Amino acid sequence: MTDRSATAAVPNEAGSLADIRVIEIGDQQGEYCGLTLAGLGAEVVRVEPPEGAGTRRIGPFAGDVADPERSLHFWAYNRGKKSVALDLGTREGTEAFGRLLGTADVLIDSTPPNHLAGIGLDSEELERRFPRLVTARITPFGEDGPWAGHRASDLVHLALGGPLLNCGYDPQPDGHYDLPPMAPQLNQAFHIAGEQVCFGVIAALIRRERTGRGQRLTCAVHEAVAKNTETDLMAWVVQRQPYYRQTARHAGPKVASNITLAYTKDGRWLNVLSIGARDRNLLKPFLERYGMGEDVPAAEVAAEVGTRGIPGTTASSSANVEIIQRFVRRFTFAELPWEEMQEAGLLCAPVRRPDENAVDPHWLARGTFAEIEHPEDGRTYTYPVSKWQATHSRWLHGNRAPRVGEHTREAMANAAPPSPAAAATASPRALQDGELLSVHKKPFALPGTKIFDFTWFLASAGGTRFLAALGADVIKVEWKAHPDTRGGGFPEGGREARRRATAPLTAPPTGPMSGQFNNKNPGKRGISLNVRHPKGREIAMDFIRRSDVVAEGFSPGVFERWGFGWDRLKELNPSIIYAQQSGMGAHGTYGRFRAIGPIAGSLSGLTHMGGLPEPALPTGWGYSYLDWLGAYSFAGAILSALYQREVTGQGQWIDASQTEVGIFTTAVPILDWSVNGRPFQRWGNRMPYANAAPQGVYRCAGTDRWIAITCADDRDWQALATVCGIDRDPRFETLAGRLQHHDELDRLIERWTVTRDRYAAMEELQRAGIAAGVAQTAEDRCENDPQLAHLAWLTEVPNPSIGTWPVAEVPFDLSETPPHAGGWIDKGAPVYGEHNYEVYGEVLGLTCAEVDALAEEGVI
């Protein structure tokens, strides 16, 4: 491992994890995590068999030649890594692997069950031999439990985890869904898990800096995906409310009459949303510039004060949509005045193809893309290479993905067993002085870390949620004129009424908080503070001087107008980390534009990628996916800065963008465009790049009941044909034949599934070794999923205002410092200003009388 005495000399430009070495072994479940760590500066060494890893055979291919060295999937997810070829079936290979681990800080392991145990490296042996090693173990369903041996694919994970049934087309007028739900594309289940494993690994590294010991992280992809949906989960937990999918907009308790997509005259789309009164009142003056202002109803809508709905979920989201559609139909896609609309304050974005971002001046200015040299081809190709900007570290582009074993000699020349001296210094005390234990009777990863938290909405508030769960003291700041999306109250009768309920319960429109807010902000302490008041600004500055991190999620420029720009913050606290999350990033030509999850999804290319082939509408995501993905990445950005500060003592400014995180996941279609000249085309529920057939979502017995099935190879197909009673047919004997006759195969498969109960069909297919999974609702995940119950995926947190309710636990475990959603305070989300007396007294030494006086002045 790296000599700590030398780390202070590492230049900031080398990346925040420049002193870290990662060994990665396994399949695509771990590739995305390794890619992110490599981008943050870590040396990532991928260990694979001499014949190459299976992901090298995933298409598309450069030039459509099925050469494992030219797989665009492998290129996309292994850029910047090194390759060491070892045969772990031999003694020489296992000994060499052990020597590599002796040089490593992190092991990412997504191998099959007992793979490493079979060569004498089970978790106990890894901990004994390498006590400083952080091990991240990623599995489809967990190491044990009812579904531990089940097979999965990206499509199957999205089905079982819930995203699938949130996404798709509107039903017919009678409520009947004539089309299956539409899975988002591509590999999103592995992105979801990879983002969360990544910030868990960095948290473990921070802990190791303070204690000298590594630990074991475990994550089931199924659990990570099951917690990724936005509003349906808490709607069921709190109100027993089912949700219904809608075309290219949030799933909800009922299907709205209007979609938010507007059609251009050349067949493309603009997504326009309305959060509330402000947005609706801005539309008329904008349309007056084009002579259409009279179409907007003249009556003004009163501004909402003291309450705020979740963006994209309210009836007003599609307000005036027909007027907007008439306006948009006057333009071609290239001539859409969407930037002018944004400058007028309207919340909109074009539904772009992924490749269209690669030539956008905003993303080019931010360094979102880079040209990576491929010497074998004598040219460069375009890759997305970063998720945020920072003042004291940068994302590393790295070289093109390695060829099999390209770095074996180099890596093994530097590999040696850890010295006895290193081992002797690697076991200090487990606890630091004064550390609090969690409900698990173990310490946290981030004890004593103080975060002054101005975040709101999910993309930013969700990020600090995870830091609270890791033990940070997160002080959530709100002001009554512009509160966070509290969204209402809990049903009358509380938890007992929910236990007895056999039908949806009604929650009041106002209250201390909703189930959604409680799930986004548990473990935080809440204060009220008016930073527009001079005394409020002084109080904020006192907090900043005492904090490790200031986090905010406002539109770019708001924090600066309050007097808290980066220059001022570092004057107040030279080691402060200022983390800013916005829709499109502060730097660049879109710096002042507004975005929420659906708008970010449209601009990023993700909305375009879901749905039936054109000319059908895109379906995209049925919730604010990039709010959650942005939250995971925001947590990772803050943690990487905290780690860098542990090593160098430097603070920094992070400029994060939820749209940019979405762009980062579109590397494969961007490469296909850059290498092969092919823009992305939608394929419904089939893998766009034709590596599996049959694959799809099939109707089962009952109303709106579906099952996802993936056949990865000939063996899978033969097993499926046997289970479904499909006769041998020469047309289906090869992958090429099955792809050509996929529609006929779908008809034959659904002839069998439509007669079966969905769970019975899943179990029958899984017993035959076929990746299959029920398209689960929130009810299914809460009531019918034995694996999630086994994994204890929800945790009960007390709340003095609303009682004890379940929230989603962090979907990974840490052996030494397990996270807890309730944080070190073991509480749900704070009521507005709940901890004023406690926090102002503890941090600033104010008495209750002084706090009351400040409240009278309108300061707090």
Side-chain angles (χ1 to χ4, degrees):
M1 279 167 262
T2 305
D3 179 3
R4 271 282 173 257
S5 65
T7 58
V10 175
N12 296 329
E13 290 76 14
S16 54
L17 302 183
D19 61 330
I20 296 299
R21 174 179 252 196
V22 179
I23 305 299
E24 179 189 314
I25 186 169
D27 61 17
Q28 68 189 102
Q29 296 176 104
E31 284 179 320
Y32 185 83
C33 177
L35 175 67
T36 297
L37 295 176
L40 293 173
E43 179 191 24
V44 179
V45 178
R46 182 170 179 82
V47 175
E48 52 185 334
E51 65 273 15
T55 56
R56 289 183 181 270
R57 294 170 175 81
I58 298 176
F61 296 91
D64 289 329
V65 177
D67 176 356
E69 298 290 8
R70 299 181 68 76
S71 160
L72 298 190
H73 172 97
F74 193 84
W75 285 9
Y77 289 94
N78 293 278
R79 168 183 52 82
K81 300 179 186 178
K82 298 179 178 180
S83 171
V84 170
L86 297 177
D87 184 353
L88 298 188
T90 67
R91 186 180 69 179
E92 294 79 6
T94 57
E95 289 178 350
F97 184 60
R99 293 199 302 275
L100 268 182
L101 289 178
T103 71
D105 301 283
V106 178
L107 169 65
I108 301 174
D109 172 22
S110 57
T111 57
N114 300 314
H115 182 76
L116 293 186
I119 60 172
L121 289 174
D122 60 18
S123 58
E124 289 77 15
E125 182 65 9
L126 284 169
E127 183 176 355
R128 186 191 70 79
R129 289 181 58 184
F130 313 108
R132 288 178 55 82
L133 185 67
V134 173
T135 303
R137 172 72 174 145
I138 309 170
T139 60
F141 294 98
E143 301 284 15
D144 51 33
W147 292 354
H150 281 13
R151 292 186 63 195
S153 66
D154 181 51
L155 178 63
V156 168
H157 276 309
L158 293 173
L160 285 168
L164 178 61
L165 265 189
N166 276 266
C167 304
Y169 293 102
D170 285 8
Q172 293 176 334
D174 63 359
H176 170 72
Y177 281 102
D178 54 326
L179 294 174
M182 291 286 149
Q185 302 285 351
L186 283 155
N187 302 302
Q188 299 300 334
F190 305 121
H191 298 153
I192 291 165
E195 287 283 0
Q196 298 185 66
V197 170
C198 186
F199 76 71
V201 164
I202 301 173
L205 289 171
I206 292 171
R207 178 70 184 182
R208 193 189 68 169
E209 283 297 303
R210 299 172 180 179
T211 68
R213 287 197 63 83
Q215 57 182 305
R216 187 170 192 252
L217 179 152
T218 53
C219 178
V221 177
H222 176 47
E223 183 179 3
V225 175
K227 295 171 181 176
N228 183 261
T229 60
E230 186 187 9
T231 54
D232 69 326
L233 178 57
M234 286 300 119
W236 180 262
V237 166
V238 173
Q239 295 177 249
R240 202 186 180 278
Q241 176 65 65
Y243 263 39
Y244 303 96
R245 60 189 178 276
Q246 308 180 87
T247 305
R249 60 201 191 280
H250 276 71
K254 62 180 182 178
V255 178
S257 58
N258 292 315
I259 69 170
T260 58
L261 294 182
Y263 196 55
T264 67
K265 68 170 78 173
D266 55 348
R268 298 290 298 279
W269 303 94
L270 179 78
N271 198 359
V272 185
L273 289 178
S274 171
I275 291 182
R278 176 179 178 272
D279 297 310
R280 299 193 291 279
N281 288 333
L282 289 171
L283 180 61
K284 185 179 180 66
F286 171 77
L287 288 180
E288 283 175 347
R289 304 178 193 175
Y290 292 88
M292 294 180 64
E294 71 279 0
D295 293 342
V296 181
E300 292 218 352
V301 184
E304 296 96 342
V305 177
T307 184
R308 190 179 296 271
I310 297 173
T313 65
T314 62
S316 67
S317 296
S318 57
N320 297 315
V321 66
E322 291 185 357
I323 299 168
I324 295 169
Q325 287 173 339
R326 290 200 300 272
F327 172 75
V328 169
R329 280 198 296 269
R330 297 187 176 191
F331 298 93
T332 63
F333 187 76
E335 295 172 340
L336 270 173
W338 76 274
E339 294 182 49
E340 185 183 348
M341 295 172 74
Q342 276 275 1
E343 288 164 356
L346 299 174
L347 195 54
C348 69
V351 178
R352 281 183 172 169
R353 298 191 311 266
D355 60 273
E356 289 171 321
N357 284 308
V359 295
D360 185 310
H362 174 74
W363 304 119
L364 295 177
R366 288 182 62 81
T368 309
F369 294 92
E371 295 296 312
I372 305 298
E373 185 177 1
H374 283 250
E376 296 80 7
D377 291 2
R379 57 170 293 191
T380 62
Y381 299 123
T382 305
Y383 289 74
V385 294
S386 72
K387 303 179 194 176
W388 63 78
Q389 292 186 330
T391 54
H392 285 75
S393 63
R394 65 181 178 89
W395 283 80
L396 301 189
H397 304 163
N399 297 322
R400 57 102 174 103
R403 291 174 172 261
V404 179
E406 183 175 348
H407 304 94
T408 303
R409 180 175 297 180
E410 167 196 331
M412 296 314 304
N414 298 321
S419 67
T425 60
S427 300
R429 53 194 165 85
L431 288 176
Q432 297 175 294
D433 292 337
E435 270 194 274
L436 295 174
L437 299 184
S438 72
V439 296
H440 303 294
K441 308 303 180 188
K442 291 186 175 183
F444 284 103
L446 302 177
T449 302
K450 298 186 181 299
I451 300 177
F452 199 38
D453 182 18
F454 287 87
T455 63
W456 63 342
F457 295 170
L458 177 56
S460 55
T464 52
R465 172 204 203 271
F466 294 115
L467 304 182
L470 291 164
D473 185 11
V474 180
I475 307 300
K476 182 173 180 62
V477 185
E478 292 182 274
W479 182 239
K480 58 190 174 183
H482 299 283
D484 200 350
T485 51
R486 292 184 170 272
F490 279 66
E492 185 178 352
R495 190 69 181 279
E496 185 56 35
R498 176 61 184 88
R499 288 192 187 98
R500 297 194 308 265
T502 57
L505 300 173
T506 300
T510 59
M513 71 183 72
S514 66
Q516 312 297 343
F517 184 87
N518 193 39
N519 190 47
K520 284 188 292 188
N521 292 283
K524 302 180 183 182
R525 296 194 286 175
I527 63 171
S528 57
L529 180 63
N530 182 6
V531 294
R532 291 185 174 91
H533 194 289
K535 288 186 179 179
R537 284 194 292 276
E538 289 294 327
I539 289 173
M541 287 188 282
D542 282 342
F543 272 99
I544 290 165
R545 293 185 184 100
R546 293 165 169 82
S547 298
D548 297 289
V549 178
V550 174
E552 56 106 338
F554 302 114
S555 296
V558 171
F559 217 52
E560 286 77 1
R561 288 197 297 273
W562 291 346
F564 297 120
W566 169 237
D567 289 340
R568 180 58 177 147
L569 289 177
K570 63 183 179 181
E571 282 180 9
L572 294 168
N573 184 344
S575 65
I576 197 72
I577 292 165
Y578 169 37
Q580 179 183 31
Q581 172 84 292
S582 61
M584 303 180 196
H587 293 92
T589 57
Y590 301 159
R592 299 296 296 275
F593 287 0
R594 300 168 64 209
I596 56 175
I599 297 302
S602 296
L603 193 66
S604 71
L606 292 182
T607 297
H608 169 84
M609 292 169 64
L612 293 171
E614 296 182 67
L617 282 76
T619 56
W621 287 79
Y623 59 95
S624 292
Y625 173 61
L626 288 184
D627 275 19
W628 266 131
L629 211 67
Y632 310 148
S633 183
F634 195 47
I638 294 171
L639 286 162
S640 68
L642 283 169
Y643 176 82
Q644 184 174 347
R645 195 181 67 178
E646 288 283 328
V647 176
T648 67
Q650 294 174 320
Q652 60 184 286
W653 174 17
I654 297 164
D655 172 15
S657 156
Q658 64 184 129
T659 306
E660 218 159 357
V661 181
I663 290 172
F664 196 85
T665 71
T666 65
V668 174
I670 286 170
L671 267 177
D672 198 22
W673 162 79
S674 179
V675 176
N676 297 320
R678 266 194 310 237
F680 185 89
Q681 295 182 12
R682 294 192 295 275
W683 290 91
N685 287 316
R686 299 173 187 171
M687 181 177 284
Y689 296 118
N691 292 110
Q695 176 169 241
V697 177
Y698 304 94
R699 192 182 295 275
C700 292
T703 301
D704 201 29
R705 297 291 187 249
W706 307 88
I707 188 169
I709 300 171
T710 297
C711 286
D713 52 31
D714 291 345
R715 189 219 68 86
D716 286 357
W717 158 244
Q718 291 158 8
L720 179 65
T722 299
V723 171
C724 296
I726 299 174
D727 295 334
R728 289 184 63 91
D729 187 318
R731 295 178 299 169
F732 308 146
E733 291 300 311
T734 65
L735 174 62
R738 294 193 295 276
L739 289 169
Q740 182 179 353
H741 301 285
H742 208 306
D743 290 345
E744 173 65 10
L745 275 175
D746 285 347
R747 186 185 66 80
L748 294 172
I749 294 167
E750 193 158 280
R751 188 175 65 183
W752 178 80
T753 60
V754 78
T755 67
R756 298 299 199 274
D757 169 80
R758 55 197 173 129
Y759 285 102
M762 169 183 160
E763 291 303 326
E764 192 170 353
L765 292 167
Q766 286 283 356
R767 282 195 300 272
I770 302 161
V774 169
Q776 294 199 121
T777 63
E779 175 184 6
D780 293 327
R781 280 134 60 207
C782 291
E783 319 294 345
N784 301 328
D785 189 319
Q787 190 65 24
L788 289 177
H790 175 78
L791 294 168
W793 73 307
L794 301 178
T795 190
E796 302 274 345
V797 290
N799 191 307
S801 175
I802 60 174
T804 299
W805 288 86
V807 297
E809 188 51 272
V810 178
F812 59 74
D813 190 29
L814 288 166
S815 58
E816 302 298 318
T817 57
H820 171 54
W824 67 273
I825 60 175
D826 188 27
K827 295 283 178 64
V831 171
Y832 176 79
E834 178 181 337
H835 300 95
N836 278 353
Y837 291 128
E838 176 183 321
V839 171
Y840 283 118
E842 174 188 311
V843 178
L844 303 184
L846 299 181
T847 66
C848 292
E850 288 172 323
V851 172
D852 289 339
L854 289 170
E856 286 291 324
E857 287 187 72
V859 178
I860 64 175

